Amino acid sequence: MSSELDKIEHYYEEGARLWDVNPELVISRQFYELWEESQKPVPFAVPGGAVAIAGQGFDLVDDRDRIGYFVWNESEMGASLVVEGAGAIQTFLLFFADGNPSIEETPPAFHQNAELSAGERLEVIYDVIAQVRRSIPSANILDLTRKQYLAALEDLAGHYDRPCLAAMKRLPQMFVKRLLQRAAEDMAVDEISDQLFLPLDGHYAAAGQASASTDPARDSGSPSAAFRIPSRTAWTIRRDLRFMVDAGRLAAENESTCVLDLAAAEVLEASPAGELTLRLEVEA
């Protein structure tokens, strides 16, 4: 697809070569920055509906005007490929497993102006769960198959408009499961499947025992932890500075070439309002 996308092959090849010698270096930010300095990746267009990373293919959500770029993911402590379009952002985490490429696809983040909001998607999921419980009482909601999910959406066609249902159908299965798990946090286990559940731990909620947050930023109560700004690598800073210098230079050049010298202009007509019609000789 792109020579820029191919640059990640060097990242994995060099990592595999050094793994037996120094695996700690391979999984570090330092190793990623060394790769950046060597390959100098820049953002690139992603015209197709899929990307191939280290020989593995990944489908992209329906979108337009996609660009791809590599970044160091501070929260995951690893490299990542980000594909950003007009409607959604998809992130692919680029790890090493025993020196071999390991790619993890995360749920897409949809722009609210282009897709449903998080609350709207969750509302549809609640109705999907209710519909499945009516049509397939024995089904376990958390193990809902793609076929069952799409069938439930079809049954809800009279309750939601077509763009809403189309957006929900485009969600990857991994993201659907994430929404189902989120909805199940407020439901008793008996509501998720036909299994009888006795709350010996004093809590009926399916995710009651796991609902406590494990996010340090959320638990700490510190605003600085909740809004952490990731640091940037040296290559991305130099690349952006170079872009700004080039943009400023081109703007200055265009400004000088677009200045019209009116000293030699001939006045053809002057209106009472002070408007002038001029004739000016310009170079071909």
Side-chain angles (χ1 to χ4, degrees), residues 5-284:
L5 184 59
D6 294 339
K7 290 180 178 180
I8 201 62
E9 301 295 336
H10 297 274
Y11 179 74
Y12 279 126
E13 289 172 1
E14 189 66 13
R17 188 180 69 83
L18 294 175
W19 185 263
D20 291 336
V21 180
N22 194 346
E24 292 80 8
L25 172 65
V26 173
I27 63 175
S28 70
R29 172 172 170 149
Q30 179 186 359
F31 181 74
Y32 175 79
E33 291 188 1
L34 289 172
W35 168 78
E36 274 193 332
E37 294 294 338
S38 170
Q39 297 299 316
K40 295 179 170 50
V42 296
F44 55 95
V46 184
V51 292
I53 312 170
Q56 301 181 47
F58 298 90
D59 293 331
L60 301 173
V61 298
D62 292 337
D63 211 339
R64 57 184 174 81
D65 302 331
R66 297 191 195 92
I67 61 168
Y69 52 92
F70 296 101
V71 295
W72 176 260
N73 192 309
E74 286 286 343
S75 61
E76 299 292 341
M77 294 300 294
S80 63
L81 166 66
V82 179
V83 178
E84 182 172 353
I89 299 176
Q90 289 179 265
T91 301
F92 301 88
L93 304 177
L94 311 176
F95 297 133
F96 286 90
D98 294 329
N100 298 314
S102 175
I103 298 120
E104 180 181 336
E105 180 181 2
T106 65
F110 292 97
H111 303 317
Q112 290 193 4
N113 291 337
E115 290 285 346
L116 303 176
S117 68
E120 289 170 332
R121 292 196 296 269
L122 195 57
E123 180 182 349
V124 177
I125 287 295
Y126 279 122
D127 287 343
V128 165
I129 292 175
Q131 178 59 36
V132 171
R133 295 294 289 141
R134 288 192 296 267
S135 59
I136 318 174
S138 61
N140 187 321
I141 297 303
L142 297 180
D143 295 330
L144 206 62
T145 65
R146 184 73 178 176
K147 182 178 180 180
Q148 291 170 333
Y149 169 72
L150 294 176
L153 285 178
E154 290 294 337
D155 294 337
L156 295 172
H159 298 80
Y160 293 96
D161 56 27
R162 184 174 298 178
C164 173
L165 293 177
M168 295 300 294
K169 289 179 180 179
R170 286 198 298 268
L171 294 181
Q173 185 66 8
M174 180 188 299
F175 193 50
V176 172
K177 286 187 175 294
R178 184 76 60 86
L179 285 173
L180 290 170
Q181 291 169 354
R182 172 63 184 85
E185 290 179 1
D186 301 323
M187 301 172 63
V189 174
D190 296 358
E191 298 180 83
I192 298 174
S193 69
D194 59 354
Q195 296 290 325
L196 181 62
F197 176 72
L198 297 178
L200 300 180
D201 59 353
H203 205 300
Y204 274 101
Q209 64 274 21
S211 61
S213 172
T214 56
D215 184 357
R218 183 179 299 177
D219 293 340
S220 66
S222 169
S224 61
F227 297 97
R228 180 181 178 186
I229 299 176
S231 58
R232 305 183 64 201
T233 59
W235 160 245
T236 56
I237 293 173
R238 292 202 311 274
R239 185 185 65 195
D240 289 351
L241 287 174
R242 186 181 305 165
F243 172 80
M244 289 188 286
V245 169
D246 291 343
R249 176 180 54 79
L250 291 174
E253 291 177 357
N254 289 336
E255 182 178 358
S256 62
T257 57
C258 293
V259 172
L260 298 178
D261 185 3
L262 301 181
E266 177 184 356
V267 178
L268 299 180
E269 183 180 355
S271 69
E275 297 177 352
L276 300 176
T277 302
L278 305 177
R279 181 169 64 187
L280 181 66
E281 296 291 337
V282 296
E283 297 181 2

